[in-house]
Amino acid sequence: MPFHQKHPQHDGPDTNEISNPPINSLDLDVQPFSTPGHVRDVEKQANGDRIVADKVSAFKGLGWLDRFLALWILLAMIIGVLLGNFVPNTGPALQKGKFVGVSVPIAIGLLVMMYPILCKVKYETLHHVFRHRELWIQIAFSVFMNWIVAPFLMLGLAWAFLPDKSGLREGLILVGVARCIAMVLIWTGLAGGDSEYCAILVAVNSILQMVLFAPIALLFIKVISRAGPGVTVSYTTVATSVAVFLGIPLVAAILTRFTLRKLVSPAWYNDVLLKWVAPWSLIGLLFTILVLFASQGRQVVHQIVSVVRVAAPLLVYFGVIFFLTLLITHKLGFGYKLAATQSFTAASNNFELAIAVAVATFGADSDQALAATVGPLIEVPVLLALVYVVKWIGNKRGWKD
């Protein structure tokens, strides 16, 4: 497909060179009467050495932030929980300022996290991408998984695990209906998925979210679950959250890309600016995780039973929806990049929207708000683990693009 391009900084051998290397390029000491089988064995060994060396070189080329990201995320979660429990008033202080229903520090972290990723998207060529029928098939598949399979799966799991806890159940339902428009860009990038394609799915989900979130949430909570008559989900809250957390970084990224590429040069933009802003995406992620765990750490520890009960269906949800999507995409013949992107899009959720709606509708101290808060605390470590799992699966099965 046209949005799959070879990474410009890849310094390893060409793929064709690996699969069909010329004999004289392998520095082989082949005797005149050597058998063809012997030659193939030596070629295979040489090719393997090249591939291994290329992978080692690629790993060494990563910065310290990327190379040890799992460690930094784990430290951010631990430090956040410790701050929330042992530093007085940390949680309330972080929750004082609100921006569209989310604490100001978390809002800042999300915006910083998304901006560098969106700066990489080639907006000037996207209109060519939409001319291809294959893209519309991918979008239709994503809409089906995100707006039919995933919400109904969460609804079923919420009832199966929490039949006696209506508040926690409703909070989980809100998490299941809120499709991700932020962190999915991070997970897709880390897993080696297609960032441009992911940006297209994020834009589609953002539009559908403004239209479908409120009616689906009301259908699941008021009609199917038969909640009380006082439950309402505001369209304004949903639209504002989407407009802020996607609109601000998206507009900023588009203006940055078109302005600087024209005023300076495309080469400077790609080789200098993008390299400079790239680490800020992971810095924003770590900052968001630290603030999130610090602001909710005390509540999590003191309501550990409720947290565990909410965590159980979330663990099942993330695992089932991710591997179900991965299996279907593999059976349909999708390449690795598209399959990884589809799987992380289906498994990720818009926790900032779920928290904002839960707080606005049920109150900050409600079970619904607690369940919505537990969502990202489980999602972050689970999806980080799935990044490594899907990369391992791709390498083991030789899953090509």
Side-chain angles (χ1 to χ4, degrees):
M1 300 200 44
F3 37 86
H4 294 317
Q5 299 179 357
K6 185 181 291 184
H7 198 291
Q9 297 174 346
H10 178 67
D11 58 357
D14 186 84
T15 305
N16 294 327
E17 191 177 318
I18 292 176
S19 57
N20 297 293
I23 298 297
N24 58 7
S25 70
L26 292 175
D27 194 23
L28 302 178
D29 184 18
V30 182
Q31 300 300 321
F33 297 102
S34 296
T35 64
H38 173 71
V39 175
R40 285 195 297 269
D41 290 341
V42 179
E43 288 180 19
K44 184 176 180 181
Q45 181 180 358
N47 291 337
D49 292 342
R50 285 187 176 194
I51 295 170
V52 170
D54 183 52
K55 288 182 178 179
V56 172
S57 175
F59 181 77
K60 287 183 177 179
L62 293 174
W64 59 270
L65 190 62
D66 306 79
R67 193 183 303 182
F68 303 107
L69 181 62
L71 174 62
W72 307 139
I73 289 179
L74 179 62
L75 288 175
M77 291 189 292
I78 293 173
I79 293 172
V81 171
L82 292 176
L83 287 174
N85 282 276
F86 296 104
V87 177
N89 299 321
T90 298
L94 291 172
Q95 293 292 337
K96 275 185 179 179
K98 294 286 184 180
F99 183 59
V100 293
V102 180
S103 74
V104 171
I106 291 179
I108 293 173
L110 288 170
L111 296 175
V112 171
M113 180 182 71
M114 292 185 67
Y115 172 72
I117 301 173
L118 293 173
C119 281
K120 297 178 182 179
V121 177
K122 298 174 182 175
Y123 303 101
E124 63 275 11
T125 62
L126 284 182
H127 63 286
H128 297 300
V129 173
F130 283 99
R131 297 175 182 175
H132 295 267
R133 178 174 175 269
E134 293 87 347
L135 176 65
W136 292 103
I137 293 174
Q138 297 286 338
I139 290 176
F141 176 78
S142 178
V143 170
F144 175 74
M145 296 302 298
N146 276 274
W147 292 100
I148 297 178
V149 177
F152 275 97
L153 174 62
M154 183 68 90
L155 175 66
L157 290 173
W159 271 100
F161 282 84
L162 299 164
D164 57 329
K165 292 288 186 179
S166 61
L168 297 177
R169 187 173 64 241
E170 290 164 359
L172 271 182
I173 290 172
L174 291 176
V175 172
V177 178
R179 311 315 304 157
C180 190
I181 62 172
M183 282 194 175
V184 63
L185 293 164
I186 290 282
W187 309 131
T188 298
L190 292 175
D194 193 312
S195 296
E196 291 187 22
Y197 173 63
C198 186
I200 294 173
L201 292 188
V202 164
V204 172
N205 277 334
S206 299
I207 295 171
L208 292 177
Q209 200 149 237
M210 288 188 279
V211 177
L212 297 178
F213 181 91
I216 292 179
L218 290 175
L219 172 66
F220 285 2
I221 294 175
K222 294 192 70 173
V223 179
I224 297 178
S225 300
R226 298 186 179 182
V231 177
T232 58
V233 178
S234 169
Y235 278 95
T236 304
T237 301
V238 178
T240 303
S241 178
V242 173
V244 167
F245 292 114
L246 178 65
I248 291 178
L250 180 61
V251 171
I254 291 174
L255 290 175
T256 301
R257 184 175 184 88
F258 283 98
T259 302
L260 293 183
R261 280 169 62 90
K262 187 173 182 179
L263 292 179
V264 187
S265 72
W268 180 88
Y269 183 87
N270 293 329
D271 298 336
V272 178
L273 182 70
L274 289 185
K275 286 184 179 180
W276 183 81
V277 300
W280 286 97
S281 184
L282 297 183
I283 292 172
L285 171 66
L286 295 174
F287 176 77
T288 302
I289 292 171
L290 190 148
V291 172
L292 188 63
F293 277 75
S295 60
Q296 304 296 336
R298 185 173 181 82
Q299 185 182 17
V300 168
V301 170
H302 285 77
Q303 300 189 54
I304 192 65
V305 175
S306 295
V307 170
V308 171
R309 292 199 63 182
V310 172
L314 283 170
L315 288 170
V316 176
Y317 168 81
F318 291 128
V320 169
I321 194 66
F322 182 86
F323 287 109
L324 176 63
T325 307
L326 195 67
L327 176 63
I328 294 174
T329 53
H330 184 265
K331 295 294 184 182
L332 292 176
F334 292 7
Y336 172 80
K337 285 188 174 183
L338 288 181
T341 304
Q342 287 277 13
S343 300
F344 280 108
T345 304
S348 303
N349 296 90
N350 188 346
F351 71 83
E352 61 272 17
L353 175 59
I355 292 173
V357 172
V359 170
T361 306
F362 302 100
D365 297 325
S366 63
D367 284 346
Q368 291 87 344
L370 174 63
T373 300
V374 173
L377 305 187
I378 304 300
E379 178 177 335
V380 168
V382 169
L383 291 190
L384 177 64
L386 290 175
V387 166
Y388 293 97
V389 170
V390 75
K391 291 174 74 174
W392 177 81
I393 292 174
N395 289 330
K396 187 173 181 63
R397 298 186 64 88
W399 200 344
K400 304 298 182 183
D401 295 324

